[in-house]
Structures are given as structure tokens and as C-alpha cells.
Amino acid sequence: MKTLTKEQKEYLLSKIRNVPDFPKPGIMFKDITTLLKDSEAFSFLIDHLFEYYKDKDLDFVAGIESRGFIFGAALADRLKKGFVPIRKKGKLPYTTISEKYALEYGFDEVEIHIDAFECEKENPNVLLIDDLIATGGTAKASINLINKSGANCKDACFIVDLTFLNGTKELDKNTEIYSVLEI
Ligand code: AMP
């Protein structure tokens, strides 16, 4: 289970574009499209995540809509595990279970199919992945959703952690957290 050197982290961080005041004033948006279009940087990151998680006892990778799908699907393929999309309310066609979470103003809701983690195992282990954790609300709701669906959110991975917002402190202590890059 290797972590990255300072130089490797700086390399990946240099590939992420900072967009000030998006989607609203005061937010510094971490734009990962500049990392994705760089084949070397994207491969380096997925290779690293594969090395980090290959010996863990995982059954599924679940990605949070929508940027979590990109990293999650690439990693699931490498790990030879199934991929489950965690979507915003109203997007999934079959019977769903959902979890609400508070936003700055109002609420949002994440959903999965009721049989998303159904397999031959009783309580399959899931790795949750997203591009970034800020306040932790989305990740917390997603972990609750996975656990209440009969699976076990064993691990959660974020490419970027905005540590000053303390998002990871909000998460279930039974889930092992790995943030690749910390800001
Ligand atoms: P939160 O629920 O506050 O942890 O927000 C996490 C979700 O919002 C993730 O799905 C991120 O993709 C997105 N997000 C929040 N803040 C940013 C940011 N500064 N840059 C890019 N994405 C962000």
C-alpha cells in the first residue's frame, strides 16, 4: 500500500486547474479535466490507485456522480471489480434507495439501485470514490447509502481533500479514508 512522494503529489496537483469564482463567487473550483486529458498524469494516478487498493478485500467500486464515475470506472476495471454509480435523485431507472443531505441552502439526495451490491457475498466490501471532498456531506450520505443497502463501505478515496473544510472528519469511522492530494 504505497503512498505518493511529495514530488509525485506536486506533479499531480500541477495538472489540476484552479478556476476562481466557479460556480459562484468565493469558490476555488478544482478542475480535474486538465488532469484527465493528460494521458501520462491520468495513467499515473490510476496506476497508483490500483497499487494502493489491489491487495484489499474489495468487491465493488462505487463512484459519486459525476466525476467519481471517471476515476471509479477506470479503477474498477483495473481491479476487476464491478462498478456502481451513485447518482443524484431521479436519474436511475429501476427501484432505488436514497439518502438526503444538507446543502448550504436546502437539501440534495443521492440514490442507488436497490440491488446495486447484490452478489454471492452476504455483506460485500465497497470502495467509494469521488474526485474531491469539501464539507463531506455528499460522501457521508453516500457511505450511509452503501451501508444501508446491505453492503459495507470499507474504504473511501478522494483525489483531492480540501482539508480546511474538515470533510473527512464527518465520515463514518468504520470507513478507511485515503485522500491522494491534500490542500
Ligand atoms: P461536499 O459534499 O461539500 O464534500 O462536496 C463534494 C462534491 O462537490 C464533490 O462531488 C465535488 O466534485 C464537488 N466540489 C465541491 N467543492 C468543489 C471544488 N472546490 N472544486 C471542485 N469540486 C468541488
Side-chain angles (χ1 to χ4, degrees), residues 11-12 35-47 70-71 74:
Y11 165 70
L12 286 177
L35 186 156
L36 297 174
K37 78 170 188 185
D38 186 316
S39 62
E40 249 176 55
F42 188 32
S43 282
F44 176 78
L45 176 60
I46 298 299
D47 285 349
I70 302 166
F71 299 105

Side-chain angles (χ1 to χ4, degrees), residues 20-158:
D21 300 320
F22 183 87
K24 53 184 183 184
I27 304 286
M28 179 62 81
F29 195 85
K30 298 288 170 188
D31 176 17
I32 50 102
T33 64
T34 42
L35 186 156
L36 297 174
K37 78 170 188 185
D38 186 316
S39 62
E40 249 176 55
F42 188 32
S43 282
F44 176 78
L45 176 60
I46 298 299
D47 285 349
H48 166 61
L49 293 177
F50 173 69
E51 285 299 319
Y52 192 90
Y53 286 108
K54 68 177 183 192
D55 297 322
K56 294 209 173 207
D57 179 20
L58 294 168
D59 301 296
F60 290 95
V61 179
I64 301 176
E65 182 169 353
S66 58
R67 291 177 294 271
F69 294 175
I70 302 166
F71 299 105
L75 180 59
D77 177 58
R78 292 289 301 275
L79 292 169
K80 300 285 172 251
K81 305 296 172 193
F83 175 76
V84 171
I86 296 182
R87 301 214 62 180
K88 297 285 163 66
K89 193 174 172 57
K91 305 274 187 181
L92 289 168
Y94 186 61
T95 312
T96 57
I97 51 172
S98 62
E99 182 82 14
K100 265 191 179 174
Y101 60 100
L103 296 173
E104 204 176 340
Y105 300 103
F107 287 89
D108 214 338
E109 211 163 335
V110 280
E111 283 189 335
I112 51 172
H113 279 144
I114 194 154
D115 57 357
F117 300 109
E118 240 174 57
C119 62
E120 60 288 346
K121 233 176 149 181
E122 180 95 4
N123 191 222
N125 289 329
V126 178
L127 163 63
L128 173 72
I129 188 161
D130 202 3
D131 66 326
L132 182 139
I133 182 162
T135 64
T138 318
K140 187 178 178 180
S142 299
I143 291 172
N144 289 345
L145 191 56
I146 292 166
N147 290 337
K148 82 177 184 190
S149 79
N152 170 37
C153 190
K154 184 172 171 294
D155 288 88
C157 176
F158 306 98

